[in-house]
């Protein structure tokens, strides 16, 4: 193999993981700084998470430190997705995602907002239903408008797919909470106090008739009063409430998504602020970084050849 062929072979090889990491890091950095509003929110939230991580480290709570590190990675997710899949998230949607991550992990888990504010979990699950519906809608809408994919759905089917995608995400999350509770003894499916229950297991005739107990004010376990003032429901009510509010968020976005597609091009819609679109060439930062790196490498190689030529004048005669 000649030297020229060897150089061509090396050029055709895939870049190393270090080069790919550096390229992706530069592209993600450019993406984060693209919109001033989302960039400002990202910087503020990142500083708050870092401060919380330092505080938890000195408190010796290393589990929360790990949660802070996970939050920092999740805050990078919107920019990474935009770069990797070459889609443009509206700044409003990006800000909502960033605030959602911070509210769920830092405020909800570490600062115990789930316990301080009973509605906190409900609000986040409603937002999750809305955001998941937006993601599902956008994925199908991008395929719908692609020239390379023979795929076309009516506005109604787009709304149905959006709704089903959101509900699927909600159910999978409840599976995750149940698994963590069962395998690791967590309490992600929060308990509730109820004052009446119905169960066929209380039927002495075993004929599948539900026996109801009302006005429960005291529950004793192994001879010890729990002091809860009622019966302890282990997560069922919390799970169903989460799915109900997820349902509401999914329905709301699906309806707006249907109207958006139905009237696309006729007038500007507020829902367009939540619908991702394909990146234009001037905002495809991954391609810009790769092309810039290629031009830089080509320039460096050319300069090296020129320097070697002038260092060895006899090559000019050749």
């Amino acid at each position: 193999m000649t030297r020229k062929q060897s150089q061509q072979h090396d050029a055709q090889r895939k870049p190393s993981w270090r080069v790919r990491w550096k390229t992706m890091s530069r592209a993600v950095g450019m993406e984060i700084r693209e919109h001033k509003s989302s960039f400002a929110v990202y910087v503020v939230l990142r500083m708050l998470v870092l401060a919380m991580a330092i505080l938890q480290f000195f408190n010796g709570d290393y589990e929360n430190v790990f949660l802070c590190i996970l939050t920092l990675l999740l805050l990078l997710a919107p920019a990474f997705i935009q770069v990797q899949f070459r889609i443009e998230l509206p700044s409003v949607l990006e800000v909502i995602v960033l605030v959602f991550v911070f509210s769920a992990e830092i405020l909800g888990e570490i600062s115990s907002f789930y316990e301080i504010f009973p509605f906190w979990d409900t609000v986040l699950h409603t937002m999750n239903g809305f955001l998941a519906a937006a993601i599902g809608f956008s994925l199908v809408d991008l395929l719908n408008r692609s020239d390379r994919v023979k795929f076309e759905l009516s506005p109604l089917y787009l709304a149905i797919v959006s709704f089903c995608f959101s509900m699927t995400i909600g159910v999978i999350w409840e599976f995750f909470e149940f698994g963590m509770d069962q395998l690791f003894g967590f309490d992600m499916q929060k308990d509730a106090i109820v004052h009446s229950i119905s169960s066929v297991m209380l039927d002495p005739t075993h004929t599948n008739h539900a026996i109801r107990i009302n006005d429960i004010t005291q529950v004793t376990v192994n001879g010890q009063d729990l002091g809860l003032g009622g019966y302890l429901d282990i997560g069922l009510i919390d799970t169903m409430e989460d799915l109900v509010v997820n349902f509401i968020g999914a329905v709301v976005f699906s309806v707006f998504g249907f109207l958006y597609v139905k009237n696309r091009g006729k007038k500007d819609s507020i829902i367009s602020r939540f619908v991702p679109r394909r990146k234009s060439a001037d905002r495809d930062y991954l391609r810009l970084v790769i092309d810039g790196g290629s031009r830089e490498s080509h320039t460096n190689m050319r300069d090296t050849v020129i320097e070697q030529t002038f260092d060895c004048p006899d090559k000019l005669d050749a």
Side-chain angles (χ1 to χ4, degrees):
M1 181 181 294
T2 64
R3 183 177 180 180
K4 183 177 181 180
Q5 290 175 335
S6 177
Q7 290 177 348
Q8 291 177 347
H9 177 71
D10 292 338
Q12 292 175 353
R13 289 189 306 176
K14 291 184 178 180
S16 65
W17 67 269
R18 291 183 179 180
V19 174
R20 293 198 298 269
W21 173 267
K22 184 177 180 180
T23 300
M24 180 59 71
S25 299
R26 290 181 59 188
V28 169
M30 295 170 66
E31 183 66 52
I32 291 175
R33 292 186 292 271
E34 179 182 6
H35 301 293
K36 293 182 179 180
S37 57
S38 58
F39 177 63
V41 172
Y42 171 79
V43 171
V44 172
L45 295 183
R46 184 180 177 87
M47 292 176 61
L48 291 175
V49 174
L50 289 173
M52 179 65 74
I54 295 173
L55 179 63
Q56 296 301 316
F57 178 81
F58 284 111
N59 288 338
D61 196 336
Y62 301 112
E63 181 179 343
N64 284 344
V65 173
F66 171 78
L67 195 58
C68 290
I69 295 174
L70 177 62
T71 303
L72 291 175
L73 295 177
L74 290 176
L75 290 177
L76 290 172
F80 175 79
I81 291 173
Q82 292 181 86
V83 169
Q84 181 66 30
F85 298 101
R86 293 178 169 85
I87 61 175
E88 186 71 30
L89 296 181
S91 57
V92 174
L93 179 61
E94 189 172 355
V95 168
I96 292 177
V97 172
L98 294 175
V99 173
F100 176 82
V101 170
F102 182 81
S103 300
E105 303 299 334
I106 303 302
L107 298 181
E109 295 291 344
I110 297 180
S111 300
S112 302
F113 272 36
Y114 290 128
E115 301 297 331
I116 299 174
F117 304 104
F119 61 85
W120 195 257
D121 186 57
T122 301
V123 171
L124 291 182
H125 274 279
T126 306
M127 289 179 59
N128 177 74
F130 187 88
L131 292 175
I135 294 172
F137 176 87
S138 303
L139 291 175
V140 182
D141 189 48
L142 289 173
L143 289 176
N144 234 17
R145 304 175 66 185
S146 174
D147 297 330
R148 296 182 298 177
V149 180
K150 297 296 182 181
F151 188 85
E152 186 173 355
L153 292 179
S154 67
L156 177 60
Y157 275 97
L158 269 175
I160 293 175
V161 170
S162 171
F163 170 79
C164 292
F165 181 86
S166 177
M167 291 305 299
T168 301
I169 296 298
V171 170
I172 291 175
W173 177 254
E174 295 303 324
F175 286 167
F176 171 75
E177 288 188 345
F178 176 77
M180 296 299 288
D181 291 351
Q182 295 297 312
L183 296 176
F184 301 103
F186 289 0
D187 188 23
M188 298 187 70
Q189 294 179 303
K190 304 302 181 184
D191 303 329
I193 305 300
V194 296
H195 299 285
S196 61
I197 61 172
S198 297
S199 175
V200 297
M201 296 187 68
L202 300 175
D203 181 14
T205 63
H206 302 289
T207 54
N208 204 34
H209 291 293
I211 303 299
R212 185 171 182 82
I213 302 178
N214 296 313
D215 302 323
I216 301 175
T217 58
Q218 182 180 8
V219 174
T220 301
V221 177
N222 296 331
Q224 181 179 358
D225 183 11
L226 297 181
L228 298 175
Y231 180 79
L232 184 64
D233 171 80
I234 51 174
L236 176 61
I237 294 178
D238 176 74
T239 297
M240 296 311 299
E241 286 180 349
D242 291 346
L243 291 177
V244 167
V245 295
N246 192 104
F247 172 88
I248 294 173
V251 168
V252 169
F253 187 90
S254 298
V255 171
F256 280 113
F258 170 80
L259 297 176
Y260 166 75
V261 176
K262 195 76 173 177
N263 301 301
R264 195 198 313 262
K266 297 180 181 179
K267 58 181 179 179
D268 188 23
S269 172
I270 190 173
I271 204 67
S272 62
R273 301 178 183 179
F274 300 94
V275 178
R277 56 189 180 275
R278 293 194 180 278
K279 275 188 172 295
S280 57
D282 61 323
R283 294 179 182 270
D284 188 353
Y285 296 115
L286 183 60
R287 175 54 55 190
L288 292 175
V289 171
I290 293 175
D291 291 345
S294 300
R295 288 195 296 269
E296 183 178 352
S297 299
H298 178 74
T299 302
N300 292 338
M301 184 180 297
R302 183 190 61 189
D303 294 342
T304 301
V305 172
I306 293 175
E307 290 176 1
Q308 292 176 350
T309 302
F310 280 99
D311 289 341
C312 303
D314 56 321
K315 291 184 179 180
L316 293 174
D317 298 333

